[in-house]
Amino acid sequence: MKIQIADLEFEKMIVYESIEKRAMQIGEQLTEEYRGRLPVFIGVLNGSFMFIAELLKNVTIQCEVAFMKLSSYHGGLETSRTITDEFDLNVDITDRDVILVEDIVDTGNTLRYLIDKLKSRNPASITTCSLLYKPQAMEHVIPELKYIGFEIENKFVVGFGLDYQDLGRNLKDVYQLVIGLQPEA
């Protein structure tokens, strides 16, 4: 099934049931790894809002939740490589275990920037959990990227929090851009 978002066409790539199952698996892993501790889950807005909600349904230990907002896409199909801080963290993370929750890691530029920024606040640890990961697009080695929902090809995607021109975040499935479409006769 294809859908239209703004001026582009997308086709289904990952169905919600698969996302739900993978979030449950990761949530159980995080519960075991952080048992007896009080981690702070930090969602990176706007894209992570659906994934962090799905993930935290499956984390059964006590935890705190906070959000930050960064931007590097600014509405287009490719990262602008200019990272904008739009909303900073309002929780003290000194000596705390931090779990960053991302919608997607592609080049790693935004994640590297964010990890470096948070390290200056002296957390006990930083781990990253991302719904999607594009290994072919990576420009950085990021050892903190430990939990990955799905590895995908280097294609533009929308849905489940990800957007194109601020549209498509509400879709429960993940869709990939259709390339090379021929006009219908």
Side-chain angles (χ1 to χ4, degrees):
M1 180 176 111
K2 293 185 177 141
I3 61 169
Q4 185 83 24
I5 299 177
D7 58 337
L8 297 176
E9 194 167 33
F10 294 83
E11 61 189 0
K12 198 174 287 188
M13 179 183 198
I14 304 171
V15 297
Y16 170 71
E17 292 76 16
S18 295
I19 296 168
E20 183 180 42
K21 180 179 178 184
R22 188 68 183 118
M24 182 178 70
Q25 293 167 340
I26 295 171
E28 289 171 356
Q29 286 180 286
L30 290 165
T31 295
E32 287 308 309
E33 183 163 333
Y34 289 90
R35 190 170 305 285
R37 294 149 70 182
L38 184 63
V40 179
F41 285 81
I42 300 175
V44 182
L45 297 173
N46 285 338
S48 74
F49 78 100
M50 287 181 74
F51 182 51
I52 195 168
E54 192 69 41
L55 181 68
L56 289 175
K57 289 185 216 176
N58 299 287
V59 173
T60 59
I61 57 170
Q62 291 187 30
C63 61
E64 290 184 45
V65 180
F67 294 92
M68 296 179 77
K69 185 174 181 183
L70 302 173
S71 180
S72 66
Y73 272 79
H74 308 290
L77 292 177
E78 294 181 13
T79 179
S80 67
R81 302 206 182 275
T82 301
I83 299 167
T84 306
D85 282 292
E86 296 182 14
F87 177 73
D88 200 8
L89 186 64
N90 62 358
V91 173
D92 182 8
I93 60 169
T94 304
D95 298 323
R96 301 287 307 276
D97 294 306
V98 171
I99 302 167
L100 291 174
V101 180
E102 277 276 21
D103 55 350
I104 190 166
V105 175
D106 48 27
T107 64
N109 291 322
T110 302
L111 184 56
R112 179 79 275 145
Y113 170 86
L114 181 55
I115 289 169
D116 290 345
K117 178 178 181 160
L118 293 177
K119 279 185 177 179
S120 71
R121 299 177 186 191
N122 302 310
S125 68
I126 298 177
T127 298
T128 302
C129 176
S130 182
L131 173 63
L132 303 174
Y133 171 57
K134 296 180 181 179
Q136 297 91 357
M138 282 298 285
E139 297 175 1
H140 301 274
V141 174
I142 302 180
E144 296 88 354
L145 181 56
K146 185 171 179 185
Y147 300 95
I148 296 168
F150 302 91
E151 283 191 14
I152 63 170
E153 293 181 38
N154 192 12
K155 295 184 178 183
F156 189 79
V157 292
V158 299
F160 209 76
L162 295 113
D163 75 298
Y164 171 59
Q165 296 183 353
D166 293 320
L167 301 172
R169 290 188 195 279
N170 60 308
L171 299 169
K172 70 177 188 172
D173 304 302
V174 173
Y175 292 79
Q176 67 183 2
L177 178 63
V178 176
I179 303 289
L181 279 179
Q182 297 299 317
E184 293 183 14

